[in-house]
Amino acid sequence: ETGVTQSPTHLIKTRGQQVTLRCSSQSGHNTVSWYQQALGQGPQFIFQYYREEENGRGNFPPRFSGLQFPNYSSELNVNALELDDSALYLCASSPKGTGNLAGELFFGEGSRLTVL
Amino acid sequence: GQNIDQPTEMTATEGAIVQINCTYQTSGFNGLFWYQQHAGEAPTFLSYNVLDGLEEKGRFSSFLSRSKGYSYLLLKELQMKDSATYLCAVRAAGNKLTFGGGTRVLVKP
């Protein structure tokens, strides 16, 4: 069983640029969530995708957007990067959508973004 | 809104017991999770409580009191490899988790 994989693992951008982060969900999982984790803090929910539709969003501006593809993989796009966007971006998959009772999330290793 | 509080840091000795407390205030409740995160790695699932009481899983136990908005994670027979950050997270509606800031546990020899 393949786990959640994310790419790239590390990247450096400058203010104003755009970035795309990618995630392949664990086999059999159709729900993908994205979290932002600043250094020394807990992960903050960005949004969740279920069956290619956004299914819940946290307190992040519209320049954070995403996609989910038919194979359940996902992208996180961030436009007009700001210094405060520097963080670890975690993708997590789970086996079901909103009806899942257990709700255990399986996290990828994350993409560490540095904005200069 | 949601508010989750846990201590920032705890230190304990190898072989000892440590209890990490988590208090929460949420609009809606559909389960509480504990995750372990080693430095530079992804969070990994430890436990899940949705009903009041104690869930035991080897050296780790987690307790929930919904009426008090309170949970704790108990780590017994501490090992050096238990040095990590422990994240308390609450699920309200859907499958969105709201995380606390994490408790960094340092195990000393």
Side-chain angles (χ1 to χ4, degrees):
Chain A
E1 187 176 78
T2 308
V4 179
T5 58
Q6 294 187 240
S7 64
T9 54
H10 296 82
L11 70 166
I12 299 173
K13 293 283 188 178
T14 56
R15 271 188 308 176
Q17 285 190 310
Q18 179 266 345
V19 68
T20 297
L21 308 177
R22 295 180 175 83
C23 171
S24 293
S25 60
Q26 187 160 320
S27 177
H29 291 185
N30 59 11
T31 302
V32 171
S33 304
W34 285 92
Y35 288 80
Q36 180 196 65
Q37 187 174 26
L39 198 61
Q41 298 182 23
Q44 299 294 312
F45 176 75
I46 303 175
F47 42 55
Q48 179 185 91
Y49 278 84
Y50 172 59
R51 292 184 176 175
E52 302 176 57
E53 299 277 335
E54 188 179 288
N55 182 39
R57 189 179 181 93
N59 193 24
F60 280 80
R63 60 190 184 83
F64 285 77
S65 63
L67 284 172
Q68 187 180 31
F69 300 99
N71 66 353
Y72 306 131
S73 66
S74 178
E75 283 182 359
L76 164 65
N77 299 289
V78 187
N79 294 323
L81 283 167
E82 300 176 1
L83 297 180
D84 285 350
D85 296 333
S86 295
L88 180 68
Y89 288 85
L90 294 163
C91 171
S93 72
S94 52
K96 289 184 182 179
T98 56
N100 180 30
L101 292 179
E104 176 185 345
L105 296 180
F106 295 81
F107 284 90
E109 296 291 330
S111 294
R112 184 163 296 282
L113 171 66
T114 302
V115 182
L116 301 176
Chain B
Q2 319 237 46
N3 191 39
I4 299 172
D5 288 314
Q6 51 182 131
T8 306
E9 201 166 290
M10 302 180 75
T11 302
T13 306
E14 195 174 12
I17 298 173
V18 71
Q19 177 174 316
I20 306 169
N21 296 323
C22 172
T23 58
Y24 63 89
Q25 294 173 304
T26 61
S27 49
F29 178 83
N30 195 19
L32 187 142
F33 296 77
W34 285 94
Y35 280 82
Q36 180 192 59
Q37 186 176 28
H38 285 102
E41 297 183 12
T44 55
F45 171 80
L46 287 178
S47 70
Y48 167 70
N49 295 70
V50 68
L51 300 175
D52 290 352
L54 189 69
E55 293 283 339
E56 296 187 82
K57 196 184 280 189
R59 294 188 299 113
F60 294 0
S61 304
S62 57
F63 171 83
L64 175 67
S65 169
R66 288 172 297 170
S67 62
K68 295 181 180 176
Y70 168 70
S71 172
Y72 68 72
L73 178 69
L74 196 68
L75 286 63
K76 293 181 268 190
E77 300 169 22
L78 279 171
Q79 301 175 9
M80 298 300 291
K81 66 178 183 179
D82 296 330
S83 291
T85 296
Y86 292 84
L87 298 162
C88 172
V90 172
R91 182 175 65 181
N95 214 15
K96 164 195 168 184
L97 291 187
T98 300
F99 285 85
T103 300
R104 190 162 60 185
V105 171
L106 178 61
V107 180
K108 293 185 173 179

